[in-house]
Amino acid sequence: MARDDETGLMVENAAARCAQCPLATCEGLRQPPDELRAWIAAFRQGEARFVRGEQVFAQGLRLRHLYTVLSGVLMRTRLLEDGRRQIINFMFPGDFIGLQAALDGEMSHAVEAVTSATLCVFARDRFFELAALQPRLSFDLTWLAAHEEAALEEHIVSLGQRNARERMAALAVFLVQRGMDTGLAPDGILPITVTQGQIADMLGLSLVHTNRTLQALRRMGLVDWTLSAIRIPDMDAARRMARIDGVGASAPRPYI
Amino acid sequence: MARDDETGLMVENAAARCAQCPLATCEGLRQPPDELRAWIAAFRQGEARFVRGEQVFAQGLRLRHLYTVLSGVLMRTRLLEDGRRQIINFMFPGDFIGLQAALDGEMSHAVEAVTSATLCVFARDRFFELAALQPRLSFDLTWLAAHEEAALEEHIVSLGQRNARERMAALAVFLVQRGMDTGLAPDGILPITVTQGQIADMLGLSLVHTNRTLQALRRMGLVDWTLSAIRIPDMDAARRMARIDGVGASAPRPYI
DNA sequence: CGTCGATTTGAACAGTCTCAAAGGATGTGG
DNA sequence: CCACATCCTTTGAGACTGTTCAAATCGACG
């Protein structure tokens, strides 16, 4: 039990837990070979737990560790000086946190827990040493970075070209899809507490308009998004509304 | 001289040219160690040239090669089925092209030459072999992916939170900055042909409103953006208008 | 029961869009 | 060297999507 000087969060020594990593049984993820898993376990320093709503990392923070999401959902947000806030993306189990900050010095965004969440903690320098020894790890790292980039690309398309309804449908489809891939929404319902204010900050809409759009989608039977869960009664119709063309299915996602 | 079956573009055998790589003298870039440069030169298959306006890769294409920008400026764009178009980002010398497509199968976006441009061509599989042997290359790859992600993050903030004037100022500052870093705008003026229609598609604005906003910024003496060049008379004021908080200076950018 | 966060509703307002058309540039062919 | 075509920019005016301000309602919780 030690106090992480970067963030004040609790870190437990829990290296042994890799053997029963909850992500090992997750169908949506590509499992690392045993040898790599052993290496990763050896380099893992512990876990950090956060409750819903807690700030995990502040914007501008200098990270001395790398993190991955072990359980739960988080979001990364960017704050402008005048108080405007943009939610960049949500993070699901298996996602990497802090890569850009580790390479570059400062976090360009803050991270906040959307649900209660657990992170795995790795020492930054030792992690990169391991990546140099294990091409597969390095490859997975690149894979994740490239796919996060693709997700942001999709978000840019939403913000730039889609109207409020399309945006919201696209976001709901995206989140539920990721929830299903990571085992959080086995039945197609993603139990996750997101306020309308947060949806607004993600989609670049006002709170009022977000509320009205949400109601419209619910009335149309496309997306049923409450404070505590996202449900998509008619996935095909929702995808049409969102103008999502690609199939969305891609190679299985690796994790660290 | 061979014809690339993927794109029909011309490929010359020009491996020897790495010795006089034009990027080697670029101040904004971090130079690879000699040993790595030699390896890269050995793996390089040739060059591909494009004229302004030419489509480099179509959306949905399956790439069998990896590419980097040797000279010129390109953009990547995403097309929706109903004709709406979103420009995701611009690409400058040293940038990587096709990483996501190489890992994932299909290009999620198209690539188009904004100025006449030259690309370096690498065989995908041999490239990843090399990356496994050369941790530094792998590290640089990750660095580039993480920073492209940071650039998209900034763009998301623009689209989600900034109004038309702020967006346009932010884009102009970003482009001129990148131009200066890559030696394309030594005097702070970036000579690059971008139509107002392209600006509109990048910022998610209509053509008409783009025109009016452009005029307003010009009248205010903040940004002078013509068809053939971007000039920022008052950089500090432009940054204030754009609400760019961070210093923007980061570690030197590696290139391949 | 009172408080606090979240949602909902109404109404006026503003930023941006669409439609329409005119006005420059630039290049090509005759 | 002119005439025409094409692409880009500019301007006007009305319509609409989404914003802002304000206030009421709802629900969970102590």
Side-chain angles (χ1 to χ4, degrees):
Chain A
M1 207 76 113
R3 208 144 187 80
D4 186 332
D5 47 4
E6 274 174 339
T7 63
L9 53 88
M10 304 304 287
V11 175
E12 308 172 13
N13 182 349
R17 282 200 44 191
C18 279
Q20 317 122 38
C21 178
L23 300 183
T25 59
C26 185
E27 306 236 336
L29 297 179
R30 183 176 67 150
Q31 299 300 322
D34 287 343
E35 194 210 9
L36 179 56
R37 191 191 295 277
W39 274 105
I40 291 173
F43 275 81
R44 198 174 90 118
Q45 295 199 313
E47 293 180 17
R49 290 210 176 76
F50 301 89
V51 300
R52 161 173 145 68
E54 197 174 352
Q55 175 157 106
V56 176
F57 302 117
Q59 187 169 322
L61 199 67
R62 296 186 168 276
L63 291 193
R64 293 210 324 274
H65 295 84
L66 285 172
Y67 302 84
T68 61
V69 180
L70 181 59
S71 71
V73 178
L74 304 98
M75 62 187 190
R76 48 203 191 107
T77 69
R78 176 79 176 279
L79 213 63
L80 270 63
E81 276 152 355
D82 56 10
R84 284 180 279 182
R85 182 176 78 151
Q86 176 66 41
I87 299 179
I88 308 293
N89 205 0
F90 288 82
M91 304 156 96
F92 284 77
D95 283 2
F96 215 90
I97 301 182
L99 184 55
Q100 173 263 343
L103 294 169
D104 212 39
E106 290 191 357
M107 293 278 284
S108 62
H109 51 261
V111 176
E112 182 179 319
V114 174
T115 67
S116 294
T118 315
L119 308 185
C120 296
V121 184
F122 299 92
R124 181 181 57 181
D125 298 333
R126 297 181 66 208
F127 190 91
F128 284 122
E129 285 168 24
L130 177 58
L133 295 173
Q134 294 282 331
R136 163 65 181 267
L137 175 58
S138 188
F139 186 87
D140 285 350
L141 209 55
T142 304
W143 196 102
L144 285 173
H147 275 73
E148 179 64 16
E149 194 190 310
L152 297 194
E153 186 176 309
E154 187 66 39
H155 194 181
I156 286 174
V157 172
S158 271
L159 293 175
Q161 303 298 324
R162 304 203 241 249
N163 65 25
R165 287 181 181 187
E166 295 167 347
R167 275 183 224 185
M168 200 166 291
L171 178 59
V173 168
F174 170 76
L175 289 177
V176 168
Q177 185 63 52
R178 289 229 56 196
M180 283 166 38
D181 287 347
T182 51
L184 296 179
D187 49 359
I189 300 175
L190 180 63
I192 180 185
T193 301
V194 182
T195 69
Q196 293 182 8
Q198 289 171 327
I199 301 175
D201 282 344
M202 176 94 181
L203 299 181
L205 299 171
S206 72
L207 175 56
V208 172
H209 197 54
T210 297
N211 176 274
R212 294 191 168 119
T213 306
L214 215 49
Q215 291 180 49
L217 289 180
R218 191 173 300 144
R219 252 182 282 114
M220 295 162 73
L222 289 182
V223 174
D224 185 17
W225 191 335
T226 68
L227 179 58
S228 55
I230 310 174
R231 194 170 65 89
I232 302 183
D234 185 343
M235 181 59 87
D236 287 343
R239 294 180 78 98
R240 272 196 305 279
M241 159 65 78
R243 259 97 190 172
I244 299 175
D245 16 333
V247 284
S250 74
R253 189 181 188 87
Y255 72 95
I256 311 295
Chain B
M1 206 77 111
R3 209 148 184 77
D4 187 333
D5 44 8
E6 277 173 338
T7 62
L9 54 89
M10 302 305 286
V11 175
E12 308 173 13
N13 182 349
R17 281 201 46 190
C18 279
Q20 315 121 39
C21 178
L23 299 183
T25 59
C26 186
E27 306 238 335
L29 298 179
R30 185 175 65 150
Q31 299 300 322
D34 288 343
E35 193 210 9
L36 179 56
R37 191 192 294 277
W39 274 104
I40 291 174
F43 275 81
R44 198 174 89 120
Q45 295 198 313
E47 294 180 15
R49 290 211 176 76
F50 300 89
V51 299
R52 161 175 147 66
E54 197 174 352
Q55 175 156 105
V56 175
F57 303 118
Q59 188 167 321
L61 199 68
R62 296 184 168 277
L63 290 193
R64 292 210 324 276
H65 295 83
L66 285 172
Y67 301 85
T68 61
V69 180
L70 181 59
S71 71
V73 178
L74 304 97
M75 61 186 190
R76 49 204 191 104
T77 69
R78 177 79 176 279
L79 214 61
L80 270 63
E81 276 152 355
D82 56 10
R84 283 181 280 182
R85 180 177 80 151
Q86 176 67 38
I87 298 179
I88 308 294
N89 205 358
F90 288 82
M91 304 157 94
F92 283 77
D95 283 2
F96 215 87
I97 300 181
L99 184 56
Q100 171 264 345
L103 294 169
D104 213 38
E106 291 191 355
M107 292 277 285
S108 62
H109 51 260
V111 176
E112 182 179 318
V114 173
T115 66
S116 294
T118 314
L119 307 185
C120 296
V121 186
F122 299 91
R124 181 180 58 181
D125 297 334
R126 297 182 64 208
F127 190 91
F128 284 123
E129 285 168 24
L130 178 59
L133 295 174
Q134 293 283 332
R136 164 66 181 267
L137 175 58
S138 189
F139 185 87
D140 285 349
L141 209 56
T142 305
W143 196 102
L144 286 173
H147 275 74
E148 179 64 17
E149 194 189 310
L152 297 192
E153 186 176 309
E154 188 66 39
H155 195 180
I156 286 174
V157 172
S158 271
L159 293 175
Q161 302 299 324
R162 302 202 241 249
N163 65 25
R165 285 181 183 189
E166 294 167 349
R167 275 183 223 186
M168 200 164 292
L171 178 59
V173 168
F174 170 76
L175 290 177
V176 168
Q177 185 64 54
R178 288 229 56 198
M180 281 167 36
D181 288 347
T182 51
L184 295 180
D187 50 358
I189 300 174
L190 181 62
I192 179 185
T193 300
V194 182
T195 69
Q196 293 181 8
Q198 290 171 327
I199 301 174
D201 282 345
M202 176 95 182
L203 299 180
L205 300 171
S206 72
L207 175 57
V208 173
H209 198 54
T210 298
N211 177 274
R212 292 189 169 121
T213 306
L214 215 49
Q215 292 180 48
L217 289 180
R218 192 172 300 146
R219 251 182 284 112
M220 295 162 72
L222 289 181
V223 175
D224 184 17
W225 192 333
T226 67
L227 178 57
S228 55
I230 311 175
R231 195 170 65 88
I232 302 184
D234 185 343
M235 180 59 86
D236 287 344
R239 295 181 78 98
R240 272 197 305 279
M241 159 66 75
R243 260 93 188 172
I244 298 175
D245 15 338
V247 283
S250 74
R253 188 181 190 88
Y255 72 96
I256 312 296

